[in-house]
Amino acid sequence: MGRNTRKRRTPMATKAIAASAALALGGGGLIWANFYASAHEENSANQTKSAGAQIATIQCPDVGQQLTDVPDGARQGVDKELANLDKQISEAYSRLASTRQAQAGDSGFVNNAILGPLKSKRTAAIDRIGINIRRVGGQAPDNLAQMAECKGMAADANTNDGQGGGGQNNDGQNNDGQNNGGQDNGGQDQGQNNGDQGQGEGQDNGLDPVPEGNGGQAGNGPVAADFVNIEDVQPNSRNLPNGLAANGDTGSTGTFTTECGTNGNNLFNSDNLIVAPGVDNGAHHTHDYVGNQNNDAFSSDEDLANADTSCQNQGDKSTYYWPVLRLQDGSNEFDAQDAGGGAEGNVGTILEASQAEIKFVGNKQGDVVAMPKFLRIITGDAKAFTNGLNNANTSFSCTGFEDRQVTDKYVICPEGSQVVRTSNFQSCWDGQNIDSANHRDHVAFVQADGSCANGFQAIPQLQVRLVYDVPAPTVENGQVQNPYAVDGFPEQLHKPITDHNDFINVMDENLMNEVVQCINSGQECN
């Protein structure tokens, strides 16, 4: 498989990042780390953990979401420091994953050897963010320094208020007894060489079996509690406020579909041009790309405008990209040893969607206006497991059952049914900006009645529906066999709540006007 990186990372850089990931399994992934706090131990966030509490990952405040007013002259420097913060967390998680024995023998090891040094590194990066902002006359938020401290987080943490700590709200679903609180991760056999977790029969990774873990081929998810049989999901039970379909049978009722393929060109990279421009491996996970054929961290707007496109309509050079879906089957992909791939826990066979439906729809309250060229939109949150649910959005379902959508579970589909990933993007725009400092404030979701708040204007809503032919996982004795998962940041434990989708509008003016006219006149166009 190929990658569309114009500037490839050097072998030495790749080795350095891979080395920081420490122990690797058969698929090139990380092993999971767990540690137990003593009955009276306080972690770095001054939260006392009870004896036997299982800590699976690292939770850090999301600094980027607090930066709502960054001057243009400071954006480049700030974005690079935000990417540096992500790298620091990934490296700390790798350290957590590779020091299990040391943690078991020293109750203070995690605080002293992992969380303490991480806080020091984050403090320096946050200071540099403030310097970048003040250098051009801006004012950094007063509370940034308080966001340097991170804490350990249990795999079964729950969040219902969007304030961080989990992302496992159950959306009113009947999960057939698989609630996270009742999931005994400690009882899962994590000797990852027997094929049960997709490692493949006969593959001995050379490591001692991990007695307690967090599932998945790479040892950092998913677990049995991350899956639900679609037939056990109640229809119309998805209750997150984000991601509402903006169109209806009133207002602007037309649709415009663009055919851009399913990434048959095998364009992959672990960059993120929107969040981390100019930063190699800024996403720490691999993306599928359709549409624009020149999208990596180093692409300028001019590069995007002059690129080829996989879309049938050559006027659409927009870039549509999302984290790849992998089957954790023990196979080594092209990135099995790479940063963003197996070196950061993203392992197994990359699955190409059998369908990628990309459609723009209208607004139930009235007409839509044209999107500006190079408008950037991110929907969903790649860090929703540790950030909470405020920006969580995308959902999973099965063909034939699409009145049942779940945001926090991977679905198990019956025979003859395929897995569906759905993303409805923000469709209210502030009328001025193609991006914002936190990459969210310039756009918003419609309100419940379909209207745009705060003087925002309705734009065509992008809806992406991806269909996959995925072998159905099975859950037996608290273990998931043959799991699948979306790529993600390693510390997010491959939770389904972290699925997300990205878009940069690079339609030419004539095509965008055609899209708007089609939608506002109630036509169905492609």
Side-chain angles (χ1 to χ4, degrees), residues 169-175 228-241 244 395-397 401-409:
N169 85 319
N170 288 319
D171 285 352
Q173 314 293 348
N174 174 4
N175 289 324
V228 63
N229 190 317
I230 193 65
E231 294 173 312
D232 292 333
V233 176
Q234 296 299 313
N236 304 312
S237 55
R238 182 183 187 272
N239 65 4
L240 287 183
L244 296 174
S395 59
F396 289 86
S397 188
F401 297 86
E402 289 182 66
D403 60 339
R404 310 176 190 208
Q405 300 280 333
V406 287
T407 57
D408 66 337
K409 304 288 178 186

